[in-house]
């Protein structure tokens, strides 16, 4: 096969305890999947069907990296999330069988240009400019699923410059991990390498140039990034 230019390198994530890496195919994100966050964003947290948006695979930023403050925004926000990595694909997956499709878990951040997202909401346009920009999906190393004792009751937290900004538990998800996979598989044929950012608890807010972020999940490898000054 001959290409007119070199294809981009495969985006991948490290796997805890392994020299192998996890190739990333697509990134799906669940909107408003914690009731407290839905309320703080002015929405009804009832169990309406979940909705999804996407980020490009090359928006991944690994732990230890410096994130460039993105273009066009004056209001960059953090959103702490548990990330689900799929090792098996499929469509119309039942919630009762969804866990068999999970390779592992990581802690991640859905970085958001909030001013651009709000502008898109007001004009009823897609959220891509607010969500799908370069380096908008920081993600820690993956921990295989068999090493995560209770993903459905997992404490997560985010500290910025040492201060706790977000904390929550996956027990508070409106739609469980398995239900999210089931719903997503009705709209898309899922594949190995897909990542799902499962939603953020309350406490989202701005980050500034020079801020140091540490995201943690119980039993997971922490994610650390610095916003470039």
């Amino acid at each position: 096969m001959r290409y007119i230019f070199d294809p981009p390198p495969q985006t991948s994530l490290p796997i805890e305890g392994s020299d192998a890496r996890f190739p990333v195919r697509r990134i799906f994100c669940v909107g408003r999947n914690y009731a407290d966050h839905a309320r703080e964003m002015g929405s009804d947290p009832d169990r309406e069907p979940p909705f999804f948006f996407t980020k490009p695979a090359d928006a991944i930023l690994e732990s230890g990296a410096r994130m460039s403050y993105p273009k066009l925004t004056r209001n960059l926000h953090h959103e702490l999330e548990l990330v689900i990595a799929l090792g098996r694909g499929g469509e119309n997956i039942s919630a009762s069988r969804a866990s068999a499709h999970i390779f592992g878990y990581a802690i991640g951040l859905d970085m958001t240009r909030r001013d651009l997202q709000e502008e898109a909401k007001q004009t009823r346009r897609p959220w891509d400019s607010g969500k799908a920009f370069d380096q908008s999906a920081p993600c820690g190393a993956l921990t295989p699923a068999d090493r995560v004792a209770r993903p459905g009751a997992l404490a997560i937290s985010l500290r910025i410059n040492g201060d706790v900004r977000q904390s929550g538990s996956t027990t508070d998800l409106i739609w469980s991990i398995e239900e999210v996979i089931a719903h997503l598989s009705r709209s898309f044929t899922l594949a190995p390498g897909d990542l799902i950012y499962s939603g953020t608890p309350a406490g989202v807010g701005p980050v500034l140039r020079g801020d140091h972020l540490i995201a943690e999940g119980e039993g997971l490898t922490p994610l650390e990034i610095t916003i470039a000054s």
Side-chain angles (χ1 to χ4, degrees), residues 10-215:
Q10 169 67 57
T11 300
S12 64
L13 285 168
I15 300 169
E16 188 64 34
S18 174
D19 292 333
R21 292 181 66 91
F22 182 89
V24 177
R25 185 169 185 267
R26 292 175 294 188
I27 300 173
F28 296 99
C29 303
V30 188
R32 295 195 295 264
N33 200 25
Y34 283 80
D36 53 1
H37 174 60
R39 292 189 188 97
E40 78 175 348
M41 300 303 289
S43 298
D44 186 341
D46 288 344
R47 277 169 62 96
E48 61 183 1
F51 70 93
F52 302 92
F53 57 92
T54 62
K55 294 176 183 269
D58 62 6
I60 289 288
L61 187 69
E62 290 190 37
S63 185
R66 295 176 68 83
M67 178 182 178
S68 300
Y69 197 91
K71 304 171 183 177
L72 302 179
T73 185
R74 294 184 178 180
N75 196 19
L76 176 65
H77 275 210
H78 58 78
E79 297 194 14
L80 170 72
E81 315 227 350
L82 177 69
V83 180
I84 306 154
L86 299 185
R88 289 175 54 192
E91 57 184 6
N92 296 318
I93 300 166
S94 67
S96 63
R97 299 178 65 87
S99 60
H101 293 255
I102 300 172
F103 170 81
Y105 301 92
I107 198 71
L109 293 167
D110 165 19
M111 303 302 289
T112 303
R113 295 191 287 198
R114 189 70 73 200
D115 44 1
L116 300 189
Q117 184 195 29
E118 291 301 325
E119 180 181 335
K121 287 180 179 179
Q122 291 170 12
T123 56
R124 297 186 178 182
R125 293 176 178 172
W127 290 7
D128 298 62
S129 61
K131 289 288 191 178
F133 54 94
D134 296 344
Q135 300 184 323
S136 62
C139 190
L142 290 169
T143 299
D146 60 3
R147 300 182 197 170
V148 181
R150 298 185 305 156
L154 190 147
I156 58 177
S157 65
L158 173 68
R159 287 178 286 136
I160 301 181
N161 304 327
D163 297 327
V164 176
R165 297 287 184 87
Q166 284 187 273
S167 63
S169 170
T170 55
T171 56
D172 298 324
L173 287 169
I174 296 173
W175 296 95
S176 71
I177 293 166
E178 293 80 11
E179 289 171 329
V180 164
I181 294 171
H183 276 280
L184 189 59
S185 73
R186 295 173 195 164
S187 297
F188 301 90
T189 300
L190 300 178
D194 287 342
L195 299 180
I196 304 171
Y197 280 56
S198 60
T200 190
V204 301
V207 295
L208 305 174
R209 291 174 175 84
D211 281 350
H212 183 63
L213 288 68
I214 302 178

Side-chain angles (χ1 to χ4, degrees), residues 215-228:
E216 297 177 293
E218 191 176 359
L220 304 178
T221 303
L223 163 66
E224 296 190 41
I225 63 167
T226 300
I227 309 300

